[in-house]
Amino acid sequence: MTTTTLPMLETYPQPIALDRVQLAATIDIIDDCAEACTTCADACLSEPDVAALTKCVRTNLDCADVCATTTRVLSRNTGHDLTTSRAMLVACAAACAACAAECALHAEMHEHCAICAEACRSCEQACNDLLAAIDGDS
Amino acid sequence: MTTTTLPMLETYPQPIALDRVQLAATIDIIDDCAEACTTCADACLSEPDVAALTKCVRTNLDCADVCATTTRVLSRNTGHDLTTSRAMLVACAAACAACAAECALHAEMHEHCAICAEACRSCEQACNDLLAAIDGDS
Amino acid sequence: MTTTTLPMLETYPQPIALDRVQLAATIDIIDDCAEACTTCADACLSEPDVAALTKCVRTNLDCADVCATTTRVLSRNTGHDLTTSRAMLVACAAACAACAAECALHAEMHEHCAICAEACRSCEQACNDLLAAIDGDS
Amino acid sequence: MTTTTLPMLETYPQPIALDRVQLAATIDIIDDCAEACTTCADACLSEPDVAALTKCVRTNLDCADVCATTTRVLSRNTGHDLTTSRAMLVACAAACAACAAECALHAEMHEHCAICAEACRSCEQACNDLLAAIDGDS
């Protein structure tokens, strides 16, 4: 799928503090992670061993919500101030790390947990990379 | 970007009432529309003629929220009951139609409105196509 | 708790098509239902008989998402057009009816389902009342 | 308005790491702040001097999204792990501080900004108080 994230950011009529290509790629990765987590939570609910997956459902739900808000905040460039963006990237990396760790425990039993764990790890990395860019370390 | 939406839906451990390929494609289109609307609202806020774009900001915000909830509902297949899915697809098509119409008014002046109008029209169509599939018309 | 919903709506600087007192009360009821559904989903996940509650978790998650978007849409009065508001009120009433019905099945076993079912029924009623007001029937 | 937040938390069937009364009160305060921010963003869009309020709209939208996700995370107690809760409380306090500061600049001109600034400050305080409780400082 070709998203409109980058074409949209390229039309933003003012300067943007971050590199638009990296910003758009990060947003797409976070959006994809949110979708994976929502679907993984639901797939867990339909597994025969759901009782062993309740913490996985919960970390998936948290991660989906945190990711959704992070892309919202990152998609806004009006009234430039990176304080909230930074805090949400930190929270998003934390939620993704927690969800990746939990999903990894069930990855051998459940393919959705394996895919979701990978999506969470990619998202955690993308958040940390953007944090590094914000802090001028890259 | 290659999303994990379809790979995730393919791991869902129970039958799904809808075609998984169509369902995944619809979710991706709606997610993309949500992202376009969030970004368009923000780009409008940074235009010199923002005073002429306030209705556009509002319809963008509504459309982003409605799209976000629609993909959440569509991504869940546990406890199968299409009543809420149907109602959200109707609401999503309505929000996309309203946003496409408003963005179209500014499309010549603002490229972000042109791209967003197109994303909204694609999303409206995808919602109506899935509604037709639910109702057995396709 | 005294919310700021009505005081905020009273400061909106343009005319509002709906009665501000009814609108604010409806928003508060929907917000309360969203919170009840999020908490009920989580409480279900921690019950020993979670395997019997998976549909309840799902309807709770849907209802929480639909309610959250409905209050967002209703809270906006700029660029007046009730089409999306109407569609979301219909979807919200549908999600609440589905969630109330499912929670009611578990109300004797689980107090959280009993409270949540009541919150959903109140919310469904409030949505239908506001729809009637929009349509000029009240 | 009497919310069902505390009654719902009281039915949670397992131990909760935090005091349920403080947790419920915090959730209600954050929910109220989210609602104030959504409404303030919309009221700003309808002011004649909207061009001077675009940063205010943006901080309101961020704050509403961050608050919404924070209450979701705080409302979940299954699979106890306070890492994500901590990170979201930090992000929520940051978003509220930014929004309170921006709204305060317009508080004399616009009553909605005055009310919203107060809601944001209350929310920032409640988040910091809960963080202190988590860290055992209170």
Side-chain angles (χ1 to χ4, degrees):
Chain A
M1 185 200 193
T2 306
T3 72
T4 60
T5 309
L6 181 56
M8 284 299 296
L9 282 180
E10 281 172 343
T11 66
Y12 181 73
Q14 306 288 343
I16 293 184
L18 300 166
D19 177 70
R20 294 181 194 218
V21 173
Q22 182 182 12
L23 183 56
T26 307
I27 289 169
D28 282 344
I29 290 168
I30 303 175
D31 272 339
D32 196 50
C33 182
E35 180 60 36
C37 289
T38 297
T39 316
C40 189
D42 183 69
C44 287
L45 285 176
S46 285
E47 293 288 356
D49 64 333
V50 59
L53 295 165
T54 56
K55 182 173 181 174
C56 196
V57 174
R58 188 261 160 97
T59 54
N60 271 313
L61 295 176
D62 277 5
C63 197
D65 285 333
V66 175
C67 285
T69 287
T70 305
T71 57
R72 291 281 185 97
V73 171
L74 291 179
S75 299
R76 296 181 187 123
N77 292 288
T78 299
H80 177 60
D81 170 6
L82 290 176
T83 312
T84 304
S85 298
R86 270 201 112 277
M88 281 309 304
L89 283 167
V90 169
C92 196
C96 287
C99 197
E102 183 62 30
C103 279
L105 300 177
H106 314 286
E108 280 190 38
M109 283 279 289
H110 302 301
E111 181 67 10
H112 48 82
C113 288
I115 300 173
C116 190
E118 195 179 346
C120 288
R121 274 188 220 105
S122 298
C123 188
E124 181 192 6
Q125 186 62 52
C127 289
N128 285 329
D129 289 347
L130 194 59
L131 276 169
I134 289 176
D135 294 341
D137 297 342
S138 70
Chain B
M1 187 201 191
T2 306
T3 73
T4 60
T5 309
L6 180 56
M8 283 300 295
L9 283 180
E10 281 171 344
T11 67
Y12 181 73
Q14 306 287 342
I16 294 185
L18 300 165
D19 177 69
R20 295 180 195 219
V21 173
Q22 182 181 13
L23 184 55
T26 306
I27 289 170
D28 281 343
I29 289 169
I30 303 175
D31 271 338
D32 196 51
C33 182
E35 181 60 37
C37 289
T38 298
T39 315
C40 190
D42 183 68
C44 288
L45 286 176
S46 285
E47 293 289 355
D49 64 334
V50 59
L53 295 166
T54 55
K55 181 173 182 173
C56 196
V57 174
R58 187 258 160 97
T59 53
N60 272 313
L61 295 177
D62 276 6
C63 197
D65 285 333
V66 175
C67 285
T69 287
T70 305
T71 56
R72 291 280 185 97
V73 170
L74 292 179
S75 299
R76 296 181 187 123
N77 291 287
T78 299
H80 178 60
D81 169 6
L82 289 176
T83 312
T84 304
S85 298
R86 270 200 111 279
M88 281 309 304
L89 283 167
V90 169
C92 196
C96 287
C99 196
E102 182 62 30
C103 279
L105 299 177
H106 314 285
E108 279 189 39
M109 283 280 288
H110 302 302
E111 181 66 9
H112 48 83
C113 288
I115 299 173
C116 191
E118 195 179 347
C120 288
R121 274 189 218 105
S122 298
C123 188
E124 181 191 7
Q125 185 63 53
C127 289
N128 285 329
D129 289 348
L130 194 59
L131 277 169
I134 290 176
D135 295 340
D137 296 343
S138 69
Chain C
M1 188 202 190
T2 308
T3 73
T4 59
T5 310
L6 180 56
M8 284 300 295
L9 284 180
E10 281 172 343
T11 66
Y12 181 72
Q14 306 288 343
I16 294 184
L18 300 166
D19 177 69
R20 295 182 193 219
V21 173
Q22 182 182 11
L23 184 56
T26 306
I27 289 169
D28 282 344
I29 289 168
I30 303 175
D31 272 337
D32 197 49
C33 182
E35 180 60 36
C37 289
T38 298
T39 315
C40 189
D42 183 69
C44 288
L45 286 177
S46 285
E47 293 289 355
D49 64 333
V50 59
L53 295 166
T54 55
K55 181 173 182 174
C56 196
V57 173
R58 187 261 160 97
T59 53
N60 271 313
L61 294 177
D62 276 6
C63 198
D65 285 333
V66 175
C67 284
T69 286
T70 306
T71 57
R72 290 280 186 98
V73 171
L74 291 180
S75 299
R76 296 182 187 122
N77 291 287
T78 298
H80 178 59
D81 170 4
L82 290 176
T83 311
T84 304
S85 299
R86 269 201 111 279
M88 281 308 305
L89 283 167
V90 169
C92 196
C96 287
C99 196
E102 183 62 30
C103 278
L105 299 177
H106 314 285
E108 279 189 39
M109 283 281 288
H110 302 301
E111 181 66 10
H112 48 82
C113 289
I115 300 173
C116 191
E118 194 178 348
C120 289
R121 275 189 219 104
S122 297
C123 188
E124 181 192 7
Q125 185 63 53
C127 289
N128 285 328
D129 289 348
L130 194 59
L131 277 169
I134 289 176
D135 294 340
D137 296 343
S138 68
Chain D
M1 186 201 191
T2 307
T3 72
T4 59
T5 310
L6 181 55
M8 283 300 295
L9 283 180
E10 281 171 343
T11 67
Y12 182 73
Q14 306 288 343
I16 294 184
L18 301 165
D19 176 70
R20 294 181 194 219
V21 173
Q22 182 182 12
L23 183 56
T26 305
I27 289 170
D28 282 344
I29 289 168
I30 303 175
D31 272 338
D32 197 50
C33 181
E35 179 60 36
C37 290
T38 298
T39 315
C40 190
D42 183 69
C44 288
L45 286 176
S46 285
E47 293 290 355
D49 65 334
V50 60
L53 295 166
T54 55
K55 181 174 181 174
C56 196
V57 173
R58 187 262 159 96
T59 54
N60 271 314
L61 295 177
D62 276 5
C63 198
D65 285 333
V66 176
C67 284
T69 287
T70 306
T71 57
R72 290 280 185 98
V73 171
L74 291 180
S75 299
R76 296 181 187 123
N77 291 287
T78 298
H80 178 60
D81 170 4
L82 290 176
T83 311
T84 304
S85 298
R86 270 201 111 278
M88 281 308 305
L89 282 167
V90 169
C92 196
C96 287
C99 197
E102 182 62 30
C103 279
L105 299 177
H106 313 285
E108 279 189 38
M109 284 281 288
H110 302 301
E111 181 66 10
H112 48 82
C113 288
I115 299 174
C116 190
E118 195 179 348
C120 289
R121 275 189 219 104
S122 297
C123 188
E124 181 192 7
Q125 185 63 53
C127 290
N128 285 329
D129 288 349
L130 194 60
L131 276 170
I134 289 175
D135 294 340
D137 296 343
S138 68

